[in-house]
Amino acid sequence: MKLEKDFFNRDARVVAEELLGKVLVSNYNGKILKGKIVETEAYIGEIDKASHAYGGKRTKRTEPLYGEPYTAYVYFIYGMYYCFNIITNKKDIPEGVLIRAIEPIEGINIMSNLRFGKDYSDLNKNQIKVLSNGPGKLCIAMNISKDDNYEDMNKSNKIYVENNKIDNFQIIKTKRIGIDYAEEAVDFLWRYYIKDNKYISKK
């Protein structure tokens, strides 16, 4: 069952943790791709120097952060990769959750071809491990790009999140990755992942 908008109309830290185990869905040319969300990061513009919207910064790039909850925010990094975020909390409160890693569960052969240009059965052990264990990697595998920026995921049939059966897993809370510039925010324990899942990007 598709998650409703109200699920995302909460503090990013709460949503980031509760998204673990849920299923990210992408419709690629009529084929459904699914991955269990196993790693997330929360960003809260008002107090977070790692956020693109810190200090009320509002530009064309950051405008999706100020949108309705359950809006997609996709941005480009290093001139190479996309990062996919889901906006949380109320409109005009810049908060969001970065989806850092997923565990492929449906449409895996398509994901493999999108990511490596070959079938899943032809991947080596390392390629299987790195299929979707990072924000840029999962965007390639799920065909998420700048075209999905601003997508209203509450209404969308292209990209959205489904609930999942309850799994028994332990959640690890730790520091976020790649934000060395963010002063005190470096130490915020706002990264969440499923303990021992082989698809997380970093322990």
Side-chain angles (χ1 to χ4, degrees):
M1 182 180 294
K2 184 176 179 179
L3 290 183
E4 300 292 336
K5 185 175 180 179
D6 285 349
F7 178 91
F8 298 90
N9 192 14
R10 299 178 294 161
D11 186 290
R13 292 163 291 193
V14 175
V15 176
E17 186 170 353
E18 293 189 10
L19 274 173
L20 295 177
K22 304 294 191 289
V23 176
L24 179 63
V25 182
S26 175
N27 186 327
Y28 174 66
N29 293 334
K31 304 293 186 180
I32 297 299
L33 313 178
K34 294 186 179 184
K36 182 168 73 173
I37 298 171
V38 298
E39 183 181 0
T40 61
E41 289 181 349
Y43 289 85
I44 298 179
E46 292 182 355
I47 59 173
D48 182 6
K49 291 178 181 175
S51 170
H52 294 166
Y54 176 67
K57 184 177 181 181
R58 196 161 186 166
T59 65
K60 182 178 180 180
R61 184 196 192 202
T62 65
E63 193 60 32
L65 275 165
Y66 292 87
E68 296 284 346
Y70 211 3
T71 297
Y73 173 40
V74 183
Y75 59 87
F76 205 45
I77 59 169
Y78 309 135
M80 298 174 64
Y81 303 112
Y82 291 107
C83 288
F84 167 67
N85 304 255
I86 305 174
I87 302 310
T88 64
N89 219 317
K90 296 177 175 59
K91 181 177 171 60
D92 293 321
I93 298 178
E95 297 187 12
V97 176
L98 171 67
I99 309 302
R100 278 203 61 91
I102 60 170
E103 176 183 330
I105 56 177
E106 186 174 325
I108 299 176
N109 203 51
I110 296 173
M111 292 185 202
S112 175
N113 275 277
L114 286 167
R115 181 94 165 81
F116 296 111
K118 55 186 177 180
D119 290 346
Y120 187 78
S121 59
D122 294 327
L123 300 185
N124 60 41
K125 289 183 179 180
N126 183 65
Q127 288 172 324
I128 290 172
K129 181 179 178 181
V130 302
L131 180 58
S132 55
N133 70 333
K137 298 171 187 177
L138 75 86
C139 282
I140 296 170
M142 296 288 279
N143 192 47
I144 297 172
S145 72
K146 196 71 171 180
D147 291 341
D148 300 303
N149 198 29
Y150 282 105
E151 186 80 7
D152 182 349
M153 298 171 65
N154 188 50
K155 299 177 181 178
S156 178
N157 290 317
K158 185 178 186 299
I159 185 168
Y160 53 91
V161 181
E162 287 183 340
N163 211 340
N164 197 13
K165 68 180 187 298
I166 297 175
D167 290 328
N168 292 318
F169 54 75
Q170 183 178 344
I171 295 174
I172 302 297
K173 302 178 184 182
T174 187
K175 297 178 184 180
R176 294 171 295 178
I177 296 171
I179 58 166
D180 295 344
Y181 57 87
E183 299 181 5
E184 72 278 356
V186 170
D187 295 319
F188 295 170
L189 303 182
W190 291 359
R191 181 164 69 98
Y192 310 85
Y193 66 83
I194 295 176
K195 183 179 180 181
D196 296 329
N197 187 280
K198 69 179 182 179
Y199 285 97
I200 64 171
S201 63
K202 184 178 180 181
K203 289 187 177 181

